[in-house]
Amino acid sequence: MTLLSTKGLSKSFDGLEAVSSVDFELPAGQIRALIGPNGAGKTTFVSLICGRLAPTSGTVTFDGYDITVLPAHERIQRGIAYTFQITSIFPGLSARENIALAARRFLKGAQVTEVVEATIDKVGLLGRADQTAGDLAYGHKRLLEIGMGLAQNPRLLILDEPTQGLSDGEIEAFKELIRDLADQATILLIEHNMKVVMATANKISVLDGGRMLAEGTPEEIQNNFAVQTAYLGRDDA
């Protein structure tokens, strides 16, 4: 079943198209990686999906409903959670309190406590649960943000550069986390670390210049000449 799709999705800024007529389909239960060189339009594209930006043209459909004009908070209520490329935590609150705030959007009472503790454990922050979020290392802030997304019990979890700032050991743990999360949510992963992409994604979509350049399995993308030329062989990949 297709959970998310876009048709002719475009976004222009002062006449410059950042995303150009993108058709995209994401089946439920899949881990999809979205890759491309810097400036390819990846963050703009997912911002259109989650409602942070309004498209210039085209449509976004989620679970069979046209959500193109819905604001971001209504998309969250429908089950779309987006973790930002720049962390968006509440720095003065503890890690536990941050996750609890996210959980309270959908749960009450004892359910909140149960979900918060399970989420903290799942993202590997159990030993830092009471630490002030602003004092966490950058990589741990990224994990906290993922936990805040998970606490919303999303049907679609969009992760924007989640391994940025993580150590090698934390990246290995993150790979396991993503595999575990696939049982609970469909995942759209925007990621520059190609080892992470190749190890976790069922399918990869490649944006270049705001257009969809290629889609396929990790093996197909690795062997795609156009992708190699546009992205995989570049120093900024």
Side-chain angles (χ1 to χ4, degrees):
M1 182 193 83
T2 298
L3 180 65
L4 172 76
S5 66
T6 70
K7 297 293 182 185
L9 195 64
S10 300
K11 179 63 179 179
S12 296
F13 297 99
D14 297 324
L16 177 65
E17 274 200 323
V19 172
S20 182
S21 212
V22 172
D23 294 339
F24 176 81
E25 288 195 358
L26 178 59
Q30 190 175 91
I31 302 174
R32 176 72 64 89
L34 181 66
I35 68 171
N38 292 331
K42 302 184 297 296
T43 297
T44 300
F45 178 63
V46 295
S47 294
L48 295 171
I49 291 171
C50 73
R52 293 182 67 214
L53 291 174
T56 305
S57 60
T59 59
V60 181
T61 302
F62 183 72
D63 195 24
Y65 294 93
D66 187 335
I67 62 169
T68 309
V69 299
L70 290 185
H73 71 272
E74 290 191 26
R75 300 189 196 201
I76 291 172
Q77 292 170 352
R78 287 179 178 267
I80 298 177
Y82 176 29
T83 66
F84 301 107
Q85 191 174 26
I86 300 173
T87 53
S88 55
I89 60 174
F90 298 94
L93 300 179
S94 70
R96 178 179 278 109
E97 289 167 333
N98 269 271
I99 294 176
L101 277 177
R104 288 191 189 106
R105 293 183 179 183
F106 301 91
L107 302 171
K108 294 182 180 180
Q111 286 181 309
V112 173
T113 301
E114 183 179 342
V115 166
V116 168
E117 296 309 311
T119 301
I120 289 172
D121 187 28
K122 181 168 282 190
V123 298
L125 291 176
L126 203 55
R128 298 175 175 84
D130 295 315
Q131 188 172 343
T132 302
D135 294 335
L136 291 170
Y138 183 78
H140 295 143
K141 290 177 182 176
R142 304 294 294 161
L143 293 174
L144 175 58
E145 194 176 49
I146 292 171
M148 293 171 69
L150 284 178
Q152 298 172 40
N153 193 28
R155 299 184 63 196
L156 171 63
L157 180 61
I158 304 174
L159 303 175
D160 199 346
E161 302 289 353
T163 65
Q164 186 177 355
L166 298 185
S167 68
D168 289 344
E170 288 167 339
I171 287 174
E172 288 304 311
F174 173 80
K175 291 178 187 177
E176 293 300 320
L177 173 63
I178 290 299
R179 296 186 189 105
D180 289 343
L181 295 182
D183 293 332
Q184 143 180 9
T186 302
I187 296 172
L188 180 57
L189 175 68
I190 300 91
E191 181 58 66
H192 270 102
N193 187 321
M194 292 308 298
K195 291 181 179 179
V196 172
V197 169
M198 295 300 173
T200 59
N202 306 125
K203 190 172 180 180
I204 300 171
S205 298
V206 186
L207 279 177
D208 186 37
R211 296 181 180 273
M212 193 62 71
L213 177 65
E215 292 186 303
T217 65
E219 183 178 4
E220 288 169 340
I221 293 301
Q222 277 186 314
N223 295 324
N224 186 300
F225 179 75
V227 175
Q228 292 174 359
T229 301
Y231 180 51
L232 294 181
R234 292 170 56 130
D235 291 338
D236 63 355

